[in-house]
Structure formats: structure tokens, C-alpha cells
Coordinates of all heavy atoms in Angstrom, one line a residue:
M5 N 117.9 64.7 -69.5 CA 117.3 64.7 -68.2 C 118.4 65.2 -67.2 O 119.5 64.7 -67.2 CB 116.8 63.3 -67.9 CG 116.3 63.2 -66.5 SD 115.5 61.6 -66.2 CE 116.6 61.0 -64.9
I6 N 118.0 66.1 -66.4 CA 118.9 66.7 -65.4 C 118.4 66.2 -64.0 O 117.3 66.4 -63.7 CB 119.0 68.2 -65.4 CG1 119.5 68.6 -66.8 CG2 119.9 68.7 -64.4 CD1 119.3 70.1 -67.0
T7 N 119.3 65.7 -63.2 CA 119.0 65.4 -61.8 C 120.0 66.0 -60.9 O 121.2 65.7 -61.0 CB 119.1 63.8 -61.6 OG1 118.2 63.2 -62.6 CG2 118.6 63.5 -60.2
I8 N 119.5 67.0 -60.1 CA 120.4 67.6 -59.1 C 120.2 66.8 -57.8 O 119.1 66.7 -57.3 CB 120.0 69.1 -58.9 CG1 120.0 69.8 -60.2 CG2 120.9 69.7 -57.8 CD1 121.3 70.1 -60.8
L9 N 121.2 66.1 -57.3 CA 121.1 65.2 -56.2 C 121.1 65.9 -54.9 O 120.2 65.7 -54.0 CB 122.1 64.1 -56.3 CG 122.0 63.2 -57.6 CD1 123.2 62.3 -57.6 CD2 120.7 62.5 -57.6
A10 N 122.1 66.6 -54.6 CA 122.3 67.2 -53.3 C 123.1 68.4 -53.4 O 124.3 68.4 -53.5 CB 122.9 66.2 -52.3
I11 N 122.5 69.6 -53.3 CA 123.2 70.8 -53.4 C 122.8 71.8 -52.3 O 123.0 73.0 -52.4 CB 123.1 71.5 -54.7 CG1 121.6 71.7 -55.1 CG2 123.8 70.7 -55.8 CD1 121.4 72.6 -56.2
G12 N 122.4 71.3 -51.2 CA 121.8 72.1 -50.1 C 122.8 73.1 -49.6 O 122.5 74.2 -49.1
A13 N 124.1 72.8 -49.6 CA 125.1 73.7 -49.0 C 125.9 74.5 -50.0 O 126.8 75.2 -49.7 CB 126.1 72.9 -48.2
L14 N 125.5 74.5 -51.3 CA 126.2 75.2 -52.3 C 126.1 76.7 -52.1 O 127.0 77.5 -52.4 CB 125.8 74.8 -53.7 CG 126.2 73.4 -54.1 CD1 125.8 73.2 -55.5 CD2 127.7 73.2 -54.0
V15 N 125.0 77.1 -51.6 CA 124.8 78.5 -51.3 C 125.3 78.8 -49.9 O 124.8 78.3 -48.9 CB 123.3 79.0 -51.4 CG1 123.1 80.4 -51.0 CG2 122.8 78.7 -52.8
G16 N 126.4 79.5 -49.8 CA 127.0 79.7 -48.4 C 127.8 78.5 -47.9 O 127.7 78.2 -46.7
C17 N 128.5 77.8 -48.8 CA 129.3 76.7 -48.3 C 130.3 77.0 -47.2 O 130.8 78.1 -47.2 CB 130.1 76.1 -49.5 SG 129.1 75.4 -50.7
G18 N 130.4 76.2 -46.3 CA 131.3 76.4 -45.2 C 132.1 75.2 -44.9 O 132.2 74.2 -45.7
K19 N 132.7 75.1 -43.8 CA 133.6 74.0 -43.4 C 132.8 72.9 -42.7 O 133.3 71.8 -42.5 CB 134.7 74.5 -42.5 CG 135.6 75.5 -43.1 CD 136.6 74.9 -44.0 CE 137.5 76.0 -44.6 NZ 138.4 75.5 -45.6
E20 N 131.6 73.1 -42.5 CA 130.8 72.1 -41.8 C 129.7 71.5 -42.7 O 129.4 72.1 -43.8 CB 130.1 72.8 -40.6 CG 131.0 73.3 -39.5 CD 130.6 74.6 -38.9 OE1 129.4 74.9 -39.0 OE2 131.4 75.3 -38.4
A21 N 129.1 70.4 -42.3 CA 128.0 69.8 -43.1 C 126.8 70.8 -43.1 O 126.6 71.6 -42.2 CB 127.6 68.5 -42.4
A22 N 126.1 70.7 -44.2 CA 124.9 71.6 -44.3 C 123.8 71.2 -43.3 O 123.6 70.0 -43.1 CB 124.4 71.4 -45.7
P23 N 123.2 72.2 -42.7 CA 122.2 71.9 -41.7 C 120.9 71.2 -42.3 O 120.2 70.5 -41.6 CB 121.8 73.3 -41.1 CG 122.3 74.2 -42.1 CD 123.4 73.6 -42.9
D24 N 120.7 71.4 -43.6 CA 119.5 70.9 -44.2 C 119.7 69.5 -44.8 O 118.9 69.0 -45.5 CB 118.9 71.8 -45.2 CG 119.9 72.1 -46.4 OD1 121.0 71.6 -46.3 OD2 119.5 72.8 -47.3
G25 N 120.8 68.9 -44.6 CA 121.1 67.6 -45.1 C 121.8 67.5 -46.4 O 122.0 66.5 -47.0
G26 N 122.1 68.7 -47.0 CA 122.8 68.7 -48.3 C 124.2 68.4 -48.1 O 124.7 68.1 -47.0
I27 N 125.0 68.5 -49.2 CA 126.4 68.2 -49.2 C 127.2 69.5 -49.1 O 127.0 70.4 -49.9 CB 126.8 67.4 -50.5 CG1 126.1 66.1 -50.5 CG2 128.3 67.2 -50.5 CD1 126.3 65.3 -51.8
A28 N 128.0 69.6 -48.1 CA 128.9 70.8 -48.0 C 130.1 70.5 -48.9 O 130.9 69.5 -48.7 CB 129.4 71.0 -46.6
V29 N 130.3 71.2 -50.0 CA 131.3 70.9 -51.0 C 132.8 70.9 -50.5 O 133.7 70.4 -51.2 CB 131.2 71.7 -52.3 CG1 129.9 71.4 -52.9 CG2 131.3 73.2 -52.0
F30 N 133.0 71.5 -49.4 CA 134.4 71.6 -48.9 C 134.7 70.5 -47.9 O 135.8 70.3 -47.5 CB 134.7 73.0 -48.3 CG 134.6 74.1 -49.3 CD1 133.7 75.1 -49.2 CD2 135.5 74.0 -50.4 CE1 133.7 76.1 -50.1 CE2 135.4 75.0 -51.3 CZ 134.5 76.1 -51.2
T31 N 133.7 69.7 -47.5 CA 133.9 68.6 -46.5 C 133.5 67.3 -47.1 O 134.0 66.3 -46.6 CB 133.1 68.9 -45.2 OG1 131.7 69.0 -45.5 CG2 133.6 70.1 -44.5
A32 N 132.8 67.2 -48.2 CA 132.3 66.0 -48.7 C 133.5 65.4 -49.5 O 134.4 66.1 -50.0 CB 131.1 66.2 -49.7
P33 N 133.5 64.0 -49.7 CA 134.5 63.4 -50.5 C 134.4 63.8 -51.9 O 133.3 64.1 -52.4 CB 134.2 61.9 -50.4 CG 133.3 61.8 -49.2 CD 132.6 63.1 -49.0
A34 N 135.5 63.9 -52.6 CA 135.6 64.4 -54.0 C 134.7 63.6 -55.0 O 134.2 64.1 -56.0 CB 137.0 64.5 -54.5
E35 N 134.5 62.3 -54.7 CA 133.8 61.5 -55.6 C 132.3 61.5 -55.4 O 131.5 60.9 -56.2 CB 134.3 60.0 -55.6 CG 134.1 59.4 -54.2 CD 135.2 59.7 -53.2 OE1 136.2 60.3 -53.6 OE2 135.1 59.2 -52.1
T36 N 131.8 62.3 -54.5 CA 130.4 62.4 -54.2 C 129.7 63.1 -55.4 O 130.1 64.2 -55.8 CB 130.1 63.2 -53.0 OG1 130.8 62.6 -51.9 CG2 128.6 63.3 -52.7
V37 N 128.7 62.5 -56.0 CA 127.9 63.0 -57.1 C 126.9 64.0 -56.6 O 126.1 63.7 -55.7 CB 127.2 61.9 -57.9 CG1 126.4 62.4 -59.0 CG2 128.3 60.9 -58.4
I38 N 126.9 65.2 -57.2 CA 126.0 66.2 -56.8 C 124.9 66.5 -57.9 O 123.9 67.1 -57.7 CB 126.6 67.6 -56.4 CG1 127.5 68.1 -57.5 CG2 127.4 67.4 -55.1 CD1 128.2 69.5 -57.2
A39 N 125.2 66.0 -59.2 CA 124.2 66.2 -60.2 C 124.5 65.2 -61.3 O 125.6 64.7 -61.5 CB 124.3 67.6 -60.8
R40 N 123.4 64.8 -62.0 CA 123.6 63.9 -63.2 C 122.9 64.6 -64.4 O 121.8 65.0 -64.3 CB 122.9 62.5 -62.9 CG 123.7 61.6 -62.1 CD 123.1 60.2 -62.1 NE 123.9 59.4 -61.2 CZ 123.6 59.1 -60.0 NH1 122.4 59.5 -59.5 NH2 124.3 58.3 -59.2
V41 N 123.6 64.6 -65.5 CA 123.1 65.2 -66.7 C 123.2 64.1 -67.8 O 124.3 63.8 -68.3 CB 123.8 66.4 -67.1 CG1 123.3 67.0 -68.4 CG2 123.8 67.5 -66.0
G42 N 122.1 63.4 -68.0 CA 122.1 62.3 -69.0 C 123.0 61.2 -68.4 O 122.7 60.7 -67.3
E43 N 124.0 60.9 -69.1 CA 125.0 59.9 -68.7 C 126.1 60.4 -67.8 O 126.8 59.7 -67.2 CB 125.6 59.2 -69.9 CG 124.6 58.6 -70.9 CD 124.1 57.2 -70.3 OE1 125.0 56.5 -69.8 OE2 122.9 56.9 -70.4
R44 N 126.3 61.7 -67.8 CA 127.4 62.4 -67.1 C 127.1 62.7 -65.7 O 126.0 63.2 -65.4 CB 127.8 63.7 -67.9 CG 128.9 64.4 -67.2 CD 129.8 65.0 -68.2 NE 131.0 65.5 -67.5 CZ 131.2 66.7 -67.2 NH1 130.3 67.6 -67.6 NH2 132.3 67.1 -66.6
E45 N 128.0 62.5 -64.8 CA 127.9 62.8 -63.4 C 128.8 64.0 -63.1 O 130.0 64.0 -63.5 CB 128.2 61.6 -62.5 CG 127.3 60.4 -62.7 CD 127.7 59.3 -61.8 OE1 128.8 59.2 -61.4 OE2 126.8 58.5 -61.5
I46 N 128.3 64.9 -62.3 CA 129.1 66.0 -61.9 C 129.4 65.8 -60.4 O 128.4 65.6 -59.6 CB 128.3 67.4 -62.1 CG1 128.1 67.6 -63.6 CG2 129.1 68.5 -61.5 CD1 127.2 68.7 -63.9
T47 N 130.6 65.8 -60.0 CA 131.0 65.4 -58.7 C 131.5 66.7 -57.9 O 131.7 67.7 -58.5 CB 132.2 64.4 -58.7 OG1 133.3 65.0 -59.3 CG2 131.8 63.1 -59.4
V48 N 131.6 66.5 -56.6 CA 132.2 67.5 -55.7 C 133.6 67.9 -56.2 O 133.9 69.1 -56.2 CB 132.1 67.1 -54.3 CG1 132.9 68.0 -53.4 CG2 130.7 66.9 -53.8
G49 N 134.3 66.9 -56.7 CA 135.7 67.2 -57.2 C 135.7 68.2 -58.4 O 136.5 69.1 -58.5
D50 N 134.7 67.9 -59.3 CA 134.6 68.8 -60.4 C 134.2 70.3 -60.0 O 134.8 71.2 -60.5 CB 133.4 68.4 -61.4 CG 133.7 67.0 -62.0 OD1 134.9 66.6 -62.1 OD2 132.7 66.3 -62.3
Y51 N 133.3 70.3 -59.0 CA 132.9 71.7 -58.5 C 134.1 72.4 -57.9 O 134.4 73.5 -58.1 CB 131.8 71.5 -57.4 CG 131.3 72.7 -56.9 CD1 130.2 73.4 -57.4 CD2 131.9 73.3 -55.8 CE1 129.7 74.5 -56.9 CE2 131.4 74.5 -55.2 CZ 130.3 75.1 -55.8 OH 129.8 76.3 -55.3
R52 N 134.9 71.6 -57.0 CA 136.1 72.2 -56.4 C 137.1 72.7 -57.4 O 137.7 73.8 -57.2 CB 136.7 71.2 -55.4 CG 135.9 71.0 -54.2 CD 136.7 70.0 -53.3 NE 135.8 69.5 -52.2 CZ 136.0 68.3 -51.7 NH1 137.0 67.6 -52.0 NH2 135.2 67.9 -50.7
K53 N 137.4 71.9 -58.4 CA 138.4 72.3 -59.4 C 138.0 73.6 -60.1 O 138.8 74.5 -60.3 CB 138.5 71.2 -60.4 CG 139.4 70.0 -60.0 CD 139.6 69.1 -61.1 CE 139.2 67.7 -60.7 NZ 139.2 66.7 -61.8
R54 N 136.7 73.6 -60.5 CA 136.2 74.8 -61.2 C 136.3 76.1 -60.3 O 136.7 77.1 -60.7 CB 134.8 74.6 -61.7 CG 134.1 75.7 -62.4 CD 134.8 75.9 -63.7 NE 134.2 77.0 -64.4 CZ 133.5 76.9 -65.5 NH1 133.3 75.7 -66.0 NH2 132.9 77.9 -66.1
F55 N 135.9 75.9 -59.0 CA 136.0 77.0 -58.1 C 137.4 77.5 -57.9 O 137.7 78.7 -57.9 CB 135.3 76.6 -56.7 CG 135.3 77.7 -55.7 CD1 134.4 78.7 -55.8 CD2 136.2 77.6 -54.6 CE1 134.4 79.7 -54.9 CE2 136.2 78.6 -53.7 CZ 135.3 79.7 -53.8
A56 N 138.3 76.5 -57.7 CA 139.7 76.9 -57.5 C 140.3 77.6 -58.7 O 141.1 78.6 -58.6 CB 140.6 75.6 -57.2
L57 N 140.0 77.1 -59.9 CA 140.5 77.7 -61.1 C 140.0 79.2 -61.3 O 140.7 80.1 -61.6 CB 140.0 76.9 -62.3 CG 140.3 77.5 -63.7 CD1 141.8 77.4 -64.0 CD2 139.6 76.8 -64.8
E58 N 138.7 79.4 -61.1 CA 138.1 80.7 -61.3 C 138.6 81.7 -60.2 O 138.9 82.8 -60.5 CB 136.6 80.7 -61.2 CG 136.0 80.0 -62.5 CD 134.5 80.1 -62.5 OE1 133.9 80.9 -61.8 OE2 134.0 79.4 -63.4
T59 N 138.8 81.2 -59.0 CA 139.4 82.0 -57.9 C 140.8 82.4 -58.2 O 141.2 83.6 -58.1 CB 139.3 81.3 -56.6 OG1 137.9 81.0 -56.3 CG2 139.8 82.2 -55.4
A60 N 141.6 81.5 -58.7 CA 143.0 81.7 -59.1 C 143.1 82.8 -60.2 O 143.9 83.7 -60.2 CB 143.7 80.5 -59.4
I61 N 142.3 82.6 -61.2 CA 142.3 83.5 -62.4 C 141.9 84.9 -61.9 O 142.5 85.9 -62.3 CB 141.3 83.0 -63.5 CG1 141.9 81.8 -64.1 CG2 141.1 84.1 -64.5 CD1 141.0 81.1 -65.1
Y62 N 140.9 85.0 -61.1 CA 140.5 86.3 -60.6 C 141.6 87.0 -59.8 O 141.9 88.2 -59.9 CB 139.2 86.2 -59.7 CG 138.7 87.5 -59.2 CD1 137.9 88.3 -60.1 CD2 138.9 87.9 -57.9 CE1 137.4 89.5 -59.6 CE2 138.4 89.2 -57.5 CZ 137.7 90.0 -58.3 OH 137.2 91.2 -57.9
R63 N 142.2 86.2 -58.9 CA 143.3 86.7 -58.1 C 144.5 87.2 -58.9 O 145.0 88.3 -58.7 CB 143.8 85.7 -57.1 CG 144.8 86.2 -56.1 CD 145.4 85.0 -55.2 NE 144.4 84.4 -54.5 CZ 144.1 84.7 -53.2 NH1 144.7 85.7 -52.6 NH2 143.1 84.1 -52.6
L64 N 144.9 86.4 -59.9 CA 146.0 86.8 -60.8 C 145.6 88.1 -61.6 O 146.4 89.0 -61.7 CB 146.3 85.7 -61.8 CG 147.1 84.6 -61.2 CD1 147.2 83.5 -62.2 CD2 148.5 85.1 -60.8
T65 N 144.4 88.2 -62.1 CA 144.0 89.3 -62.9 C 144.0 90.6 -62.0 O 144.5 91.6 -62.4 CB 142.6 89.1 -63.4 OG1 142.6 87.9 -64.2 CG2 142.2 90.2 -64.3
M66 N 143.5 90.4 -60.8 CA 143.4 91.6 -59.9 C 144.8 92.0 -59.4 O 145.1 93.2 -59.4 CB 142.5 91.2 -58.7 CG 142.3 92.4 -57.7 SD 141.1 92.0 -56.4 CE 141.6 90.4 -55.8
M67 N 145.6 91.1 -59.1 CA 147.0 91.5 -58.6 C 147.9 91.9 -59.7 O 148.9 92.6 -59.4 CB 147.6 90.3 -57.8 CG 146.8 90.0 -56.6 SD 146.8 91.4 -55.5 CE 145.5 90.9 -54.4
N68 N 147.7 91.6 -60.9 CA 148.6 92.0 -62.0 C 148.1 93.2 -62.8 O 148.7 93.6 -63.7 CB 148.7 90.8 -63.0 CG 149.6 89.7 -62.5 OD1 150.4 89.9 -61.6 ND2 149.4 88.5 -63.0
S69 N 147.0 93.8 -62.3 CA 146.5 95.0 -62.9 C 147.4 96.2 -62.5 O 148.2 96.2 -61.6 CB 145.1 95.3 -62.5 OG 145.1 95.6 -61.1
K70 N 147.4 97.3 -63.3 CA 148.2 98.4 -63.0 C 147.9 99.1 -61.7 O 148.8 99.5 -61.0 CB 148.0 99.5 -64.1 CG 148.6 99.2 -65.4 CD 148.5 100.3 -66.4 CE 149.1 100.0 -67.7 NZ 149.0 101.1 -68.7
H71 N 146.7 99.1 -61.3 CA 146.3 99.8 -60.1 C 145.7 98.7 -59.2 O 144.5 98.4 -59.2 CB 145.3 100.9 -60.3 CG 145.8 101.9 -61.3 ND1 146.7 102.8 -61.0 CD2 145.4 102.1 -62.6 CE1 147.0 103.6 -62.0 NE2 146.2 103.2 -63.0
K72 N 146.5 98.1 -58.3 CA 146.0 97.1 -57.4 C 145.1 97.7 -56.4 O 145.4 98.7 -55.8 CB 147.2 96.4 -56.7 CG 148.1 95.7 -57.6 CD 149.3 95.1 -56.9 CE 150.2 94.5 -57.9 NZ 151.5 94.1 -57.3
P73 N 143.9 97.0 -56.2 CA 143.0 97.6 -55.2 C 143.5 97.4 -53.8 O 144.2 96.4 -53.4 CB 141.7 96.7 -55.4 CG 142.2 95.5 -56.1 CD 143.5 95.8 -56.8
K74 N 143.2 98.4 -52.9 CA 143.6 98.3 -51.5 C 142.8 97.3 -50.7 O 143.3 96.8 -49.8 CB 143.5 99.7 -50.9 CG 144.5 100.7 -51.5 CD 144.4 102.0 -50.9 CE 145.4 102.9 -51.6 NZ 145.3 104.3 -51.3
D75 N 141.6 97.1 -51.2 CA 140.7 96.1 -50.5 C 140.6 94.8 -51.3 O 139.6 94.2 -51.4 CB 139.3 96.7 -50.3 CG 138.7 97.1 -51.6 OD1 139.4 97.1 -52.6 OD2 137.4 97.2 -51.6
A76 N 141.8 94.3 -51.7 CA 141.8 93.1 -52.6 C 141.2 91.9 -51.9 O 140.5 91.1 -52.6 CB 143.3 92.8 -53.0
E77 N 141.5 91.6 -50.6 CA 141.0 90.5 -50.0 C 139.5 90.5 -49.8 O 138.8 89.5 -50.0 CB 141.6 90.2 -48.6 CG 143.1 89.8 -48.7 CD 143.3 88.5 -49.6 OE1 142.5 87.6 -49.4 OE2 144.2 88.5 -50.4
K78 N 139.0 91.7 -49.6 CA 137.5 91.9 -49.5 C 136.8 91.6 -50.8 O 135.8 91.0 -50.9 CB 137.2 93.3 -49.0 CG 135.7 93.6 -48.8 CD 135.6 95.0 -48.2 CE 134.1 95.3 -48.1 NZ 133.9 96.7 -47.6
R79 N 137.4 92.1 -51.9 CA 136.9 91.9 -53.2 C 137.0 90.4 -53.6 O 136.0 89.9 -54.2 CB 137.7 92.7 -54.3 CG 137.4 94.1 -54.2 CD 138.2 94.8 -55.3 NE 138.0 96.3 -55.3 CZ 138.0 97.1 -56.3 NH1 138.2 96.6 -57.5 NH2 137.8 98.3 -56.1
L80 N 138.0 89.7 -53.2 CA 138.2 88.3 -53.5 C 137.1 87.5 -52.7 O 136.5 86.6 -53.3 CB 139.6 87.8 -53.1 CG 139.8 86.3 -53.4 CD1 139.7 86.1 -54.9 CD2 141.2 85.9 -52.9
A81 N 136.8 87.9 -51.5 CA 135.8 87.2 -50.7 C 134.4 87.4 -51.3 O 133.6 86.5 -51.4 CB 135.8 87.7 -49.3
G82 N 134.2 88.6 -51.8 CA 132.9 88.9 -52.5 C 132.8 88.1 -53.8 O 131.7 87.5 -54.1
F83 N 133.9 88.0 -54.5 CA 133.9 87.2 -55.8 C 133.6 85.7 -55.5 O 132.8 85.1 -56.1 CB 135.2 87.3 -56.5 CG 135.4 86.4 -57.7 CD1 134.8 86.8 -58.9 CD2 136.1 85.3 -57.6 CE1 134.9 86.0 -60.0 CE2 136.2 84.4 -58.7 CZ 135.7 84.8 -59.9
E84 N 134.2 85.2 -54.4 CA 134.0 83.8 -54.0 C 132.6 83.5 -53.7 O 132.0 82.5 -54.1 CB 135.0 83.4 -52.9 CG 136.4 83.3 -53.3 CD 137.4 83.0 -52.2 OE1 137.0 83.2 -51.0 OE2 138.5 82.6 -52.5
R85 N 132.0 84.4 -52.9 CA 130.6 84.2 -52.5 C 129.7 84.2 -53.7 O 128.7 83.4 -53.8 CB 130.1 85.4 -51.5 CG 130.5 85.1 -50.1 CD 129.8 86.1 -49.2 NE 130.0 87.5 -49.5 CZ 131.1 88.2 -49.2 NH1 132.0 87.7 -48.4 NH2 131.2 89.5 -49.5
S86 N 129.9 85.1 -54.7 CA 129.1 85.1 -55.9 C 129.3 83.9 -56.7 O 128.3 83.4 -57.3 CB 129.3 86.4 -56.7 OG 130.6 86.4 -57.3
R87 N 130.5 83.4 -56.8 CA 130.8 82.2 -57.7 C 130.2 80.9 -57.1 O 129.9 80.0 -57.8 CB 132.3 82.1 -57.9 CG 132.9 83.2 -58.7 CD 132.2 83.5 -60.0 NE 132.2 82.3 -60.9 CZ 131.4 82.1 -61.8 NH1 130.4 82.9 -62.0 NH2 131.4 81.0 -62.5
L88 N 130.1 80.8 -55.8 CA 129.6 79.6 -55.2 C 128.3 79.2 -55.7 O 128.0 78.0 -55.9 CB 129.5 79.7 -53.6 CG 130.8 79.7 -52.9 CD1 130.6 80.0 -51.4 CD2 131.5 78.4 -53.0
R89 N 127.4 80.2 -56.0 CA 126.1 79.9 -56.5 C 126.0 79.7 -58.0 O 125.1 79.1 -58.5 CB 125.2 81.1 -56.2 CG 124.9 81.3 -54.7 CD 124.1 82.5 -54.5 NE 124.0 82.8 -53.1 CZ 124.7 83.7 -52.5 NH1 125.6 84.4 -53.1 NH2 124.6 83.9 -51.2
M90 N 127.1 80.1 -58.7 CA 127.0 80.1 -60.2 C 127.8 78.9 -60.8 O 127.5 78.6 -62.0 CB 127.6 81.4 -60.7 CG 126.8 82.6 -60.3 SD 127.5 84.1 -60.6 CE 127.3 84.3 -62.3
I91 N 128.6 78.2 -60.1 CA 129.4 77.2 -60.7 C 128.6 76.0 -61.1 O 128.8 75.4 -62.2 CB 130.6 76.8 -59.8 CG1 131.6 78.0 -59.7 CG2 131.3 75.6 -60.3 CD1 132.7 77.8 -58.8
L92 N 127.8 75.5 -60.2 CA 127.0 74.3 -60.6 C 126.1 74.5 -61.8 O 126.1 73.6 -62.7 CB 126.2 73.8 -59.4 CG 125.4 72.5 -59.6 CD1 126.4 71.3 -59.9 CD2 124.5 72.1 -58.5
P93 N 125.4 75.6 -61.9 CA 124.6 75.7 -63.2 C 125.5 75.8 -64.4 O 125.1 75.3 -65.5 CB 123.9 77.1 -63.0 CG 123.8 77.2 -61.5 CD 125.0 76.6 -60.9
Q94 N 126.7 76.3 -64.3 CA 127.6 76.4 -65.4 C 128.1 75.0 -65.8 O 128.2 74.6 -67.0 CB 128.8 77.3 -65.2 CG 128.4 78.7 -65.2 CD 129.6 79.6 -64.9 OE1 130.6 79.2 -64.4 NE2 129.5 80.9 -65.2
L95 N 128.4 74.2 -64.8 CA 128.8 72.8 -65.0 C 127.7 72.0 -65.7 O 127.9 71.2 -66.6 CB 129.3 72.1 -63.7 CG 130.6 72.6 -63.1 CD1 130.8 72.0 -61.8 CD2 131.8 72.3 -64.1
V96 N 126.5 72.2 -65.2 CA 125.3 71.5 -65.8 C 125.2 72.0 -67.3 O 124.9 71.1 -68.2 CB 124.0 71.8 -65.0 CG1 122.8 71.3 -65.8 CG2 124.1 71.1 -63.7
H97 N 125.3 73.2 -67.5 CA 125.2 73.8 -68.9 C 126.2 73.2 -69.8 O 125.9 72.8 -71.0 CB 125.3 75.3 -68.9 CG 125.1 75.9 -70.2 ND1 123.9 76.1 -70.8 CD2 126.0 76.5 -71.0 CE1 124.1 76.6 -72.0 NE2 125.3 76.9 -72.1
V98 N 127.4 73.1 -69.4 CA 128.5 72.5 -70.2 C 128.2 71.0 -70.5 O 128.4 70.5 -71.6 CB 129.9 72.7 -69.5 CG1 130.9 71.8 -70.2 CG2 130.3 74.1 -69.5
A99 N 127.7 70.3 -69.5 CA 127.4 68.9 -69.7 C 126.2 68.7 -70.7 O 126.2 67.8 -71.5 CB 127.0 68.2 -68.3
L100 N 125.3 69.6 -70.6 CA 124.2 69.6 -71.6 C 124.7 69.9 -73.0 O 124.2 69.3 -74.0 CB 123.1 70.6 -71.3 CG 122.2 70.2 -70.1 CD1 121.3 71.4 -69.7 CD2 121.3 69.1 -70.5
L101 N 125.6 70.8 -73.2 CA 126.2 71.1 -74.5 C 127.0 69.9 -75.0 O 127.0 69.7 -76.2 CB 127.1 72.3 -74.4 CG 126.4 73.7 -74.2 CD1 127.4 74.8 -74.0 CD2 125.4 74.0 -75.4
D102 N 127.7 69.2 -74.1 CA 128.4 68.0 -74.5 C 127.5 66.9 -75.0 O 127.9 66.1 -75.9 CB 129.3 67.5 -73.4 CG 130.5 68.4 -73.1 OD1 130.8 69.2 -73.9 OD2 131.1 68.2 -72.0
N103 N 126.3 66.8 -74.5 CA 125.4 65.8 -74.9 C 124.8 66.2 -76.3 O 124.4 65.8 -77.1 CB 124.2 65.6 -73.9 CG 124.7 64.9 -72.7 OD1 125.7 64.2 -72.7 ND2 123.9 65.0 -71.6

């Protein structure tokens, strides 16, 4: 059984609270639960760690390539926007596989 509790701000997360009453993952406490998969709880802290890890890997890969892009920051911002929507489903999928 999967229960998504509050993810209103995961699409387009910002520094402020979500206008629709969801949890903004950059301002909510790390222990706030955003999904439950069986016995496992996925917290805002889990989401932030995964986002930081993937962003760091992308940045290192891009900057260590032979031909560094001139618009690196623009590409990084685009990558971050795309990953914001994809991390929670991946965390839920991993929790389902663990069960």
C-alpha cells in the first residue's frame, strides 16, 4: 500500500510554502513524512539527500568532461527542474522493491 501524504510543492519547489497547502521540500523540517510505502516512511530529508546527490553527480560529470559546456549553469538548472518531479517516484519504487 502506497500513501502519498503531501507533495503539493514537489513540482516547482521553491523557498516558500506551497500555495496549495503541500509541503515545500526546501523549507519543511527534514523529518516531515511525505509518503508511506508499507512500513517505510519517506521523509523530506530523504528527498533532499537524493536531490543533492544527483545534482552533485551531474555537476561533476559535466565539469570533468573533455568539452565543458559554456552554458553549464543553465544546463544544471534545467537538470534540477527535471529531477524535482522524478525523485519521489524513484524513492517510492526503491521502497517497494525493498518490501
Side-chain angles (χ1 to χ4, degrees):
M5 178 171 119
I6 302 171
T7 306
I8 306 291
L9 298 175
I11 56 167
L14 290 182
V15 178
C17 291
K19 299 281 182 187
E20 297 143 19
D24 60 355
I27 296 173
V29 296
F30 295 118
T31 57
E35 63 275 354
T36 303
V37 176
I38 56 175
R40 283 195 182 95
V41 180
E43 301 281 321
R44 178 138 190 262
E45 294 180 339
I46 299 172
T47 64
V48 171
D50 297 333
Y51 182 92
R52 286 183 194 154
K53 281 186 234 172
R54 179 68 179 250
F55 181 73
L57 174 70
E58 290 188 16
T59 303
I61 290 171
Y62 183 79
R63 183 185 301 266
L64 282 172
T65 304
M66 185 172 45
M67 293 304 163
N68 289 335
S69 66
K70 285 185 179 181
H71 305 288
K72 295 178 185 169
K74 293 181 180 168
D75 60 344
E77 289 304 315
K78 184 178 176 183
R79 287 183 184 210
L80 182 62
F83 174 79
E84 289 175 346
R85 278 192 305 276
S86 70
R87 294 308 300 154
L88 285 172
R89 294 179 188 95
M90 298 169 75
I91 290 174
L92 185 62
Q94 287 179 344
L95 290 173
V96 169
H97 182 74
V98 168
L100 284 170
L101 289 175
D102 287 346
N103 287 342

